Amino acid sequence: MSHLATVTTTIKDIQALKDAARALGLELLTGGRVRGYGGTLYEETDYMIKLPGSFDIGFRKQSDGTFAMESDGGLMHGWYNSEAGMAKIGRNAGRLKQEYAYAVLQAEARRKGRTVQRQDVDGRIRVTMSGGR
């Protein structure tokens, strides 16, 4: 039986974020200053992903243990020659968030002894789980 689920992404799991970056052909680095428009370097972040072009995306730990996603606003909207970076992570980081949600789901499924099968359909991920407890 299939179920449609909508996932709002809150970054909590750094390993899943690492896996999501890797799925997009990127690497999550520890620390770093995020690059923005005109060569601006923002404050040090806890983690960051260097993107092609002149923009990056960072992740800063919040008091509740989650990680806030930080970047120059131009990156999220494809402004100021940020197309190369946005092409990797998607508009408003949609592809990165989608891959993160999938990585979290995979880890949880494994923990419960389930098998996950993935199918990419029209920019969306369709998941089928089986087995487990």
Side-chain angles (χ1 to χ4, degrees), residues 5-70:
T6 302
V7 178
T8 301
T9 308
T10 300
I11 306 294
K12 295 179 183 177
D13 183 335
I14 291 302
Q15 183 58 52
L17 184 58
K18 228 177 243 189
D19 293 344
R22 190 176 317 111
L24 296 173
L26 301 167
E27 182 181 8
L28 181 69
L29 306 170
T30 302
R33 294 180 69 188
V34 172
R35 297 172 300 148
Y37 176 70
T40 302
L41 285 175
Y42 294 99
E43 291 180 32
E44 184 84 13
T45 58
D46 295 298
Y47 296 92
M48 70 175 284
I49 297 173
K50 280 198 162 299
L51 297 171
S54 54
F55 290 80
D56 301 317
I57 189 164
F59 303 88
R60 185 179 310 280
K61 191 165 190 171
Q62 305 299 294
S63 60
D64 65 357
T66 63
F67 289 84
M69 194 179 303
E70 299 180 348

Side-chain angles (χ1 to χ4, degrees), residues 102 105-106 115-119 125-130:
Y102 178 70
L105 175 74
Q106 269 190 306
T115 317
V116 177
Q117 293 181 352
R118 172 185 175 144
Q119 184 180 26
I125 299 172
R126 178 173 285 167
V127 177
T128 306
M129 285 196 296
S130 58

Side-chain angles (χ1 to χ4, degrees), residues 75-117:
L75 172 64
M76 295 297 158
H77 301 289
W79 302 335
Y80 315 121
N81 298 319
S82 65
E83 294 87 358
M86 192 180 78
K88 283 287 202 178
I89 63 169
R91 186 174 205 79
N92 292 316
R95 289 185 66 212
L96 178 62
K97 291 174 188 177
Q98 184 180 48
E99 290 295 342
Y100 172 79
Y102 178 70
V104 169
L105 175 74
Q106 269 190 306
E108 184 64 17
R110 273 193 305 269
R111 190 177 73 72
K112 293 183 176 184
R114 294 187 173 174
T115 317
V116 177
Q117 293 181 352

